[in-house]
Amino acid sequence: MGALATQPVEEPGRLSRALARMWMKSATVTANERLADRFHLITLEGHALEDVTWRPGQKVQIAMGSAFVARTYTPIEWNASAGRMCILGYSHGDGPGSAWVRTASPGDACNIFGPRASLDVSGRSEALVIVGDETSIGLAYAVARQNATRLVTSCFEVEDAAAAQQVAESLDLKGVTLVARRADGAHIAALGASLSDAVVAGSAFVLTGKAATIQTLRQSLRQRSVQTTRLVTKAYWTPGKTGLD
């Protein structure tokens, strides 16, 4: 996941370097595979990533050249024995986070803060529906891999359905419904309608991605008598704002 931003990437100053040494984990990019338009599977490795306790849904923040300029991502897997972490990055636009997703190259060093709490569904036993957008696909993958016996499906609003489908197939992510995004927001009704069977089945809903979409879907589900105990929400971004994670 990542927020829209336009700030330039800054060269790290003395204070930034000191903070990085104190609080951040050093890692190196070992791969950046472009899975489809705007989607990149990025692998990072380093001794600091070893022996780390991570749960699907937790977040990391990666410094974009300065300890004070960072973007947030949801790891899709973390191999603590090998000191290896993977993220599925989506390039929103021209901000530092999007630029890093596009240009990160093997051998590039970076500083990582986390993992930290963000969204935790590890204690839930019922079927889960992950609802969101391009920034939520990695979460769906991580949660589905957490417990192979639990039913996990997902529904995403996306700009490019063909590209998103290609990513889902590359990750072998099953049970995915894609709804093409419309500028007037009319697609949100179709997104909500796709959840009808899960509402009846008693599934829990994990609403992520764009803040406005989450708010609309949450209201719709509550109107269909879905209890708040079956709803987990986490806004990853909203247009024109940074700082959501």
Side-chain angles (χ1 to χ4, degrees):
M1 62 183 165
L4 294 171
T6 57
Q7 300 98 318
V9 177
E10 303 173 3
E11 289 298 321
R14 181 179 299 177
L15 179 58
S16 295
R17 292 195 297 268
L19 288 173
R21 287 194 297 270
M22 290 175 58
W23 301 108
M24 293 187 170
K25 299 176 175 65
S26 297
T28 301
V29 175
T30 57
N32 185 347
E33 180 185 359
R34 184 172 175 269
L35 298 184
D37 184 38
R38 299 189 182 187
F39 290 94
H40 292 250
L41 182 62
I42 301 174
T43 303
L44 303 102
E45 297 185 13
H47 292 301
L49 305 184
E50 297 174 2
D51 301 321
V52 171
T53 300
W54 167 79
R55 292 190 303 273
Q58 288 186 324
K59 64 187 177 185
V60 296
Q61 290 169 296
I62 299 179
M64 302 286 121
S66 164
F68 301 106
V69 180
R71 291 296 175 265
T72 304
Y73 301 92
T74 302
I76 68 170
E77 59 183 42
W78 196 306
N79 186 327
S81 298
R84 182 185 306 116
M85 175 188 73
C86 295
I87 64 171
L88 177 65
Y90 178 70
S91 176
H92 283 285
D94 298 323
S98 293
W100 181 79
V101 166
R102 289 192 302 267
T103 64
S105 300
D108 287 355
C110 62
N111 292 305
I112 300 169
F113 183 46
R116 295 192 295 141
S118 177
L119 189 156
D120 186 7
V121 295
S122 59
R124 309 196 72 103
S125 58
E126 68 268 63
L128 293 178
V129 184
I130 310 295
V131 187
D133 55 28
E134 293 91 345
T135 64
S136 311
I137 297 176
L139 171 68
Y141 174 85
V143 172
R145 282 175 57 91
Q146 180 186 40
N147 184 347
T149 63
R150 179 175 55 189
L151 178 62
V152 178
T153 57
S154 51
C155 184
F156 306 119
E157 56 169 331
V158 296
E159 194 73 26
D160 185 337
Q165 182 63 39
Q166 185 175 339
V167 171
E169 292 174 357
S170 295
L171 296 176
D172 196 26
L173 186 60
K174 309 295 186 183
V176 177
T177 299
L178 301 173
V179 176
R181 185 182 292 113
R182 289 181 48 170
D184 61 2
H187 66 283
I188 302 298
L191 196 65
S194 71
L195 307 178
S196 297
D197 289 346
V199 169
V200 175
S203 301
F205 299 89
V206 183
L207 309 180
T208 63
K210 186 179 179 181
T213 301
I214 291 173
Q215 183 178 14
T216 300
L217 290 177
R218 189 178 190 279
Q219 291 174 346
S220 173
L221 290 169
R222 292 292 293 127
Q223 290 170 358
R224 285 188 270 179
S225 300
V226 175
Q227 297 179 338
T228 56
T229 54
R230 290 168 57 192
L231 299 173
V232 180
T233 65
K234 184 65 180 180
Y236 286 158
W237 68 282
T238 193
K241 291 186 179 181
T242 60
L244 294 183
D245 60 6

